[in-house]
Every structure is written in C-alpha cells, then in structure tokens.
Amino acid sequence: MNNIKKFQKIFFEICFSIFAVFLLSFGIIRADDDPSYSINKLNINCKIEKDGSLQLTRTVTYNFSDDAHGLTYQQELPKDNSKYSIQKVEIANGNGHFQNVTKSDSHKNDTYSVSDNDLPDVFLIKTYHKIKSGQQVTVKYVFTMADAITNYRDAARLNYKVIGFDTDVPQKNVNITFDFGKKNLKLLKAWVHADVNPQKQVSAHNGTVNIKIKKLPANDDVEADILFPTSITSQNPNVSKRKIIQSTINLEKKIIRDNRIRLFKKYLLIPLIIIFYAVIRLIIGIVKIKKYNILSMPEIPHNFEIPNISVGTADAFFAQMDSKSFWGKSVDKNHAFTGQLLQLHNQKEISIKHEQNDYVISIINNELVKEGNIFDILFNTVGDGKQFTIGKLKELVEENDKDFAKKITNALTTWFDDYTQPVEKEDVNAKANFLFINNYFYLIGTFTILGIWWFFNQSWSIFSLALITFIIALLTLNIYRNKVPFNSNGLTEYLKIAGFKKMLLEIGNFKESKFNDLILWKDILPFAVGFNISKEVLKKLKQSFTEAELLQTFNADDYFYFYDDNYFDDEFSSDLDSFSSTASSSDSSSSSDDNDSFSSGDSGGFGGDSGDGAF
C-alpha cells in the first residue's frame, strides 16, 4: 500500500512537470513579454502577373488582449535576393476605415519599416501602431515578389507556401484566392498541403483557385502547388525546357500516399495499439480470474459476533480489500492504533486514566516496548519510561519537529505492517492482489496517454477512438469490480469483520438488538474507533442508553474515554494526524532541495518562413 501511494505521488508530479513543459513548448503558457492577441480573419489574394511575379494583398484582423506597439509580417522570398516591392501598408481600427501608413525608419506611430533580418531570402515589415488592450486592428499589406513562377515546356508552376510556419497563434477564417487574370483556362490543376482539411475550389472557367480554412493551428503552413497555362505568364524570364505536368502529378501522388501513411501513424497507429492491448488485457483478465480462482464478493451479512482478533488485524483485512481500489485508498492507521490502545487497556496491558483534563497512559505489560517501536517512542521518548500523557504529546506536536514527526510516523507504519504481513501471507491470493495493483497502474497510464493525446490532437475522430479505448478500459476495470484479493479462508474472515462493521453502522437501536448488554460495549468500541466510525456508533449508543445506564456500567475513566465529548479517540488520533502532516511536509521539502486532394506534406514550395505577429 505504501508503495502504491509513493508511486501515485511520483507519477502525478512527473505528469505535472511534463504537462508544464508541453504548455511552454506549445506556447499555451507565454514565457515572454510579447502581447497576447488572436488572429480572427485572414484574407490573402494572390494575383499572377505576366512576368511570373505575384502581387499579394494580405489583410489580417487581430484582436488584442494586451497593449501593443505594432505589427509584424515576415515573408520568405522564392530565391536569395529575389526582387520585391512594397506598394502600400494600411491599417484600420475597429471602424473598418483603412488609413495609409508611411514608410519610415523613424519608428514613429503609423509608420512602417522594411528589413531583411540579415537573411538574403526574407524581408520583414514592422508596422508601428499603438494598440490598446481589447482593440481590434486590421492591417493590409500589398506587395509584389518576382521569381515566384517557372514556365516549363508544358505548363507554368506556382509552388508556394502561401501561409508559412512563422505565425505563433492559430489563424481563424482563412480565405486564400489565386487569380490568374483569364477565364476558361485549358489547364488548371491545384493541390493544397496542410495539416487541416481545407475547402478547395478550382474553377478553370473563372480562372481562380480558392482555399478556405476555418481554423489553422499555430505554426502550421498551407502550401499550394498549381499548374496552369504558360500563356498566363508569357513574359516570365524563369523558363525551363523540362516538362512538368506528369512529374508534378507523380510527386503529388507520392505526397498523398506518404501523407496517408503519416496520418495513420500519427492518428491511428497508437490508438489501435492501445485498443488492441486493451482488448488483450480484457481477455487475459477474464481468463486469469478463472485460472487463479479469484473469488467474488458475496453480500456482506450482519455479524453480531465480536471479532476474536486484534483491532490492528481487523484493519489489516480492510487494507487488503482497499488495495484493489482505483484510487489507492488505505486504512487510517492512526485510528487503527488508537483502537488498539483501547483494546490493550481492556486487556490490562496498558492503563488509560483521565486526570486533570488530560489522559495518562501507563505501561503494564513491558513486553510491548521494544527498541525503536511505536510503544518505545511513546513511553520512553514522549513519556518517562512508565507513562506518557496526551498533553505532552500535544506539546511535541506544537514544536513542529519534522525529524520526530517522521520517526513516530514511520514507527506507526512499521506497527501496522506487522499486522498486514501475516494477513498477506496467510489470507491473500497473491495472484489476485498482483492483478489488481497491475490493473490500477495500467488504468492510470491509459487515461494519462489518452488525455495528453486528446489535448494535442483535438478532433471528433480522435475523440471517438479515445472513447472506444476508454470503454474497453472500463470493461477491464469492471471485471475486477466485484472480485476480492483473498483466498477462501481470508474471504471468510473478511466477511466476519466487514459484517461486524456493517452491523455497527446499520443497526438503529442497540438496546433492542443483540447488543443490548452494555458490558459488551467495552470490547466493541475499540473496533469502532479502529474502523474510524466511533462518532456514528457513539451517537446511536447514547440514543439507545441513558447516561445513568452508562455510568452504572462503566467506571469514570472508561466513561471519559468512551463517551465524553472530548473522548480519547479524538485527542489521540488528531495528534497522530498532525505528526503525519508534519512528516509529509518534510518529505516534500527535502525532495525539492535534492532536485535543484487535400493532403498534408511538402512539395518544396517557398514561403515556409513567413508569418504574422505583433510586438
């Protein structure tokens, strides 16, 4: 059980760290001082000129959630030192009225500058325009690039990443139009490469190619590979004697084929492996339940017989049952030990007395005290060797001594292990217990993989595959739902203990039940404390018997530690809880100190380093 809890803690810390790294890597958490904005509309009109150049009109609509100084656009050229010219830059605020922006290196408001960023195939436009948080701004760039098109023997080809990789936010409502300036074209073939599924309309009649994308993820590109008649670019100086149509078709077929394989690997291979593995686990689980004789839990009957075992052993059975829980639930060792002390008091091995608003616990059977065990710490460290008090224990709690807290918490764990080990050895089906714990780790791993996978690849198809995997994982969980980790002898003993606890919780009036003899309750209540249900039981006990009846049966000390509003269970267990909390905080701090025709693909088009931004 302790190993499960440690694994849980480490596992979730690792997941959180990986998740944070992913968020930083993908820009979901901003790690710089750039303004926050979204691009809600992008229109790109590409007009093909006779000399093989492109005249582009890019209109970008931003919505800002921070103040900003201006906007940027970087364009990769077809070749090193290709000629380009900026015709105009215009800006419109929310009213939609464009105003011209003047070219200047002054960095003044409503000016723009152009630089090559020390690269021979790139130019950068920086537009200086003060923007307030919450403001919508639209910028329009009109520019021309030479060398964009090559005329081959049988066709002209434009291979252009019309949207490059360099935009760091998603772009919504993208509309791209290529206008060839003539109608009724004899040849017009177009392929679009993108990781999204764009709407493509090729109209030879109108002489246009139109591409629409509802949402393009950040840093994704859109590439158009288009073949059209050489007469459109009859004055193009870039001429090749090769034929291009068939080789381009072959290239695009290869890209489509490779893309299908890539998409299968990216979106289907991993989920199919997970689903296949999940199905295999489900089948193996069903087979192993029969093979290893894993027993089912029958209905737990009411048991009116007081368990003839220690409170620690009774809780050890519950701990084994809890080990198959998905969340790694565990028995409260602090209440288990408190119940054990009350049982030892009844057996005259220790004495608990209420004196001067404090509890004094004295040792009677010295054999309980062994070097380093919990009794040694309580009687020889907290106490004077013969007795200790709750008051002294509270003083140590208030000192917040982490070393001592860890010492007493570890000793308490060792004490409980001494009860769980015999139960594990004699009453547990080891194969069943292994399968439960193994299944627990498998489910956590499956849900984590599915969560990360869905987070970074959100689509309905992925959601459907994830849902199938999730259902199979739940079926795997369900086949173990009503199973127990015990062998036949262990299940018999567990049913007695669980039936006794069920009786304590469900019987309405103890006076009218088989527990109407108050003398029995001195032996019963230590189990109620160990099961951490003493408050519920005592409430019903006080409703069933009068205070006079209780005082007549129990002496003053017993009355205090069983029935007083500040009874022994609350006092002692809360102190142990405080030590556990202090020890846990110690573990956390020390660990931190120690660890200071649609296809996607690429046909080689220029423009990949292009993109919009802000500063």
Side-chain angles (χ1 to χ4, degrees):
M1 286 301 299
N2 289 330
N3 289 335
I4 292 177
K5 289 220 161 194
K6 287 179 181 177
F7 178 87
Q8 261 188 302
K9 182 179 178 182
I10 295 169
F11 180 82
F12 285 116
E13 285 178 353
I14 291 172
C15 284
F16 179 80
S17 300
I18 293 173
F19 186 65
V21 170
F22 271 121
L23 292 179
L24 286 169
S25 300
F26 282 80
I28 297 167
I29 293 176
R30 289 182 19 241
D32 52 39
D33 295 327
D34 289 343
S36 178
Y37 60 89
S38 60
I39 294 178
N40 295 334
K41 193 173 183 181
L42 173 61
N43 287 330
I44 304 174
N45 186 278
C46 304
K47 185 178 179 183
I48 287 76
E49 302 288 351
K50 287 187 177 183
D51 63 357
S53 62
L54 285 182
Q55 185 185 73
L56 289 108
T57 302
R58 292 179 55 92
T59 308
V60 191
T61 300
Y62 293 80
N63 273 56
F64 282 86
S65 51
D66 285 333
D67 292 348
H69 302 291
L71 310 165
T72 64
Y73 175 65
Q74 178 171 285
Q75 173 65 57
E76 181 185 349
L77 296 167
K79 300 176 182 177
D80 287 356
N81 301 311
S82 288
K83 293 181 179 179
Y84 66 91
S85 63
I86 314 296
Q87 277 81 54
K88 62 180 176 180
V89 177
E90 295 180 329
I91 280 188
N93 292 326
N95 56 20
H97 297 298
F98 283 97
Q99 66 180 45
N100 193 51
V101 180
T102 306
K103 183 178 180 181
S104 171
D105 292 327
S106 65
H107 299 178
K108 290 182 179 180
N109 197 48
D110 291 335
T111 65
Y112 75 91
S113 62
V114 182
S115 64
D116 59 11
N117 256 356
D118 296 325
L119 296 171
D121 62 343
V122 167
F123 70 83
L124 172 69
I125 304 174
K126 290 189 76 171
T127 305
Y128 297 86
H129 182 75
K130 290 183 180 179
I131 302 163
K132 297 292 185 181
S133 176
Q135 190 174 2
Q136 184 183 86
V137 176
T138 302
V139 60
K140 181 189 293 185
Y141 307 99
V142 181
F143 59 92
T144 303
M145 292 186 297
D147 302 324
I149 295 164
T150 301
N151 282 19
Y152 295 87
R153 281 176 59 190
D154 52 352
R157 184 189 189 195
L158 170 62
N159 194 12
Y160 174 36
K161 288 184 176 65
V162 63
I163 297 177
F165 301 108
D166 208 38
T167 302
D168 293 332
V169 298
Q171 300 168 85
K172 300 177 183 177
N173 303 311
V174 177
N175 188 7
I176 304 167
T177 300
F178 292 91
D179 184 358
F180 294 90
K182 287 185 179 180
K183 295 186 176 183
N184 300 316
L185 300 181
K186 293 182 179 180
L187 169 68
L188 186 60
K189 291 182 177 292
W191 295 266
V192 180
H193 306 146
D195 269 344
V196 292
N197 192 3
Q199 297 178 13
K200 181 186 71 173
Q201 185 176 15
V202 180
S203 175
H205 174 72
N206 294 325
T208 59
V209 174
N210 184 255
I211 303 165
K212 290 185 178 180
I213 300 171
K214 189 174 182 180
K215 182 178 179 180
L216 182 68
N219 303 113
D220 272 16
D221 71 319
V222 177
E223 183 179 49
D225 194 357
I226 305 174
L227 298 177
F228 54 93
T230 55
S231 60
I232 301 296
T233 51
S234 57
Q235 299 174 14
N236 187 5
N238 293 321
V239 176
S240 172
K241 295 181 180 180
R242 289 193 303 115
K243 289 187 176 182
I244 194 63
I245 294 178
Q246 192 57 50
S247 61
T248 301
I249 291 173
N250 292 339
L251 172 64
E252 293 297 340
K253 284 181 178 179
K254 182 178 183 302
I255 290 174
I256 291 171
R257 184 174 62 252
D258 292 345
N259 183 60
R260 286 172 180 167
I261 296 172
R262 187 186 66 82
L263 289 176
F264 175 79
K265 290 179 179 179
K266 182 176 181 180
Y267 295 113
L268 291 176
L269 183 60
I270 292 177
L272 286 176
I273 290 173
I274 294 173
I275 290 172
F276 178 75
Y277 181 64
V279 171
I280 294 298
R281 281 190 63 94
L282 179 61
I283 295 170
I284 290 174
I286 294 170
V287 171
K288 285 188 174 181
I289 283 173
K290 294 181 180 179
K291 181 179 179 181
Y292 298 134
N293 192 29
I294 298 176
L295 303 175
S296 298
M297 173 65 73
E299 184 178 352
I300 299 174
H302 287 137
N303 177 26
F304 291 88
E305 183 179 341
I306 301 172
N308 188 28
I309 54 177
S310 67
V311 174
T313 300
D315 274 315
F317 273 91
F318 284 121
Q320 290 302 319
M321 192 62 193
D322 289 339
S323 69
K324 70 184 286 290
S325 166
F326 181 82
W327 295 110
K329 179 185 173 184
S330 62
V331 165
D332 187 334
K333 294 190 289 291
N334 298 335
H335 279 91
F337 183 68
T338 306
Q340 183 81 61
L341 287 182
L342 297 178
Q343 192 176 52
L344 291 172
H345 167 80
N346 291 340
Q347 295 167 354
K348 308 298 183 185
E349 298 200 46
I350 65 170
S351 169
I352 303 174
K353 291 185 178 182
H354 189 265
E355 297 178 357
Q356 298 178 349
N357 294 322
D358 198 0
Y359 290 97
V360 180
I361 300 92
S362 304
I363 188 71
I364 297 175
N365 180 6
N366 289 312
E367 292 183 2
L368 291 174
V369 180
K370 296 179 181 178
E371 185 177 357
N373 74 355
I374 186 68
F375 295 102
D376 181 28
I377 295 171
L378 290 173
F379 286 105
N380 292 325
T381 303
V382 178
D384 59 6
K386 295 181 180 179
Q387 63 183 28
F388 71 93
T389 66
I390 298 296
K392 179 62 177 176
L393 201 62
K394 287 187 180 301
E395 290 178 12
L396 291 171
V397 168
E398 292 170 0
E399 289 179 8
N400 201 31
D401 186 333
K402 293 182 179 181
D403 290 336
F404 179 75
K406 199 168 185 179
K407 183 178 180 182
I408 198 169
T409 301
N410 289 341
L412 189 62
T413 300
T414 301
W415 168 83
F416 193 62
D417 286 345
D418 289 340
Y419 288 96
T420 57
Q421 287 171 4
V423 172
E424 287 178 356
K425 185 177 180 180
E426 299 172 10
D427 300 294
V428 167
N429 180 340
K431 294 287 187 180
N433 213 28
F434 172 78
L435 286 175
F436 295 149
I437 295 172
N438 184 264
N439 191 53
Y440 167 75
F441 291 145
Y442 157 70
L443 287 171
I444 286 183
T446 300
F447 296 152
T448 302
I449 291 170
L450 288 174
I452 294 173
W453 179 44
W454 163 251
F455 185 85
F456 292 110
N457 299 280
Q458 293 182 22
S459 73
W460 284 111
S461 59
I462 291 176
F463 179 79
S464 300
L465 289 168
L467 184 62
I468 292 170
T469 311
F470 179 73
I471 290 171
I472 297 172
L474 287 181
L475 288 173
T476 308
L477 179 66
N478 188 63
I479 65 172
Y480 294 110
R481 181 176 59 85
N482 200 38
K483 303 302 178 184
V484 295
F486 302 112
N487 55 30
S488 56
N489 181 67
L491 180 57
T492 300
E493 291 299 315
Y494 176 78
L495 289 174
K496 290 179 183 178
I497 301 164
F500 182 72
K501 180 179 179 180
K502 182 179 180 181
M503 177 278 304
L504 291 177
L505 286 172
E506 295 186 1
I507 296 299
N509 191 320
F510 292 126
K511 196 170 188 177
E512 297 175 359
S513 71
K514 294 182 181 181
F515 284 137
N516 56 0
D517 187 350
L518 273 173
I519 296 175
L520 294 174
W521 281 93
K522 193 169 184 178
D523 294 325
I524 293 171
L525 284 170
F527 286 97
V529 171
F531 299 157
N532 198 14
I533 59 171
S534 58
K535 282 185 171 62
E536 298 93 322
V537 172
L538 288 172
K539 182 179 179 181
K540 289 193 288 185
L541 193 61
K542 289 181 179 181
Q543 292 171 349
S544 302
F545 298 95
T546 66
E547 186 174 359
E549 289 174 311
L550 296 173
L551 286 170
Q552 185 179 356
T553 304
F554 299 105
N555 61 42
D557 288 322
D558 290 344
Y559 180 81
F560 266 111
Y561 79 71
F562 279 134
Y563 306 108
D564 188 60
D565 289 337
N566 296 311
Y567 61 98
F568 182 75
D569 180 13
D570 265 356
E571 296 283 334
F572 191 72
S573 297
S574 64
D575 288 342
L576 294 181
D577 288 339
S578 298
F579 283 126
S580 297
S581 299
T582 303
S584 297
S585 65
S586 174
D587 288 341
S588 300
S589 60
S590 63
S591 64
S592 62
D593 289 340
D594 292 339
N595 298 292
D596 292 287
S597 151
F598 148 70
S599 71
S600 104
D602 193 333
S603 56
F606 73 94
D609 289 330
S610 308
D612 296 282
F615 62 95

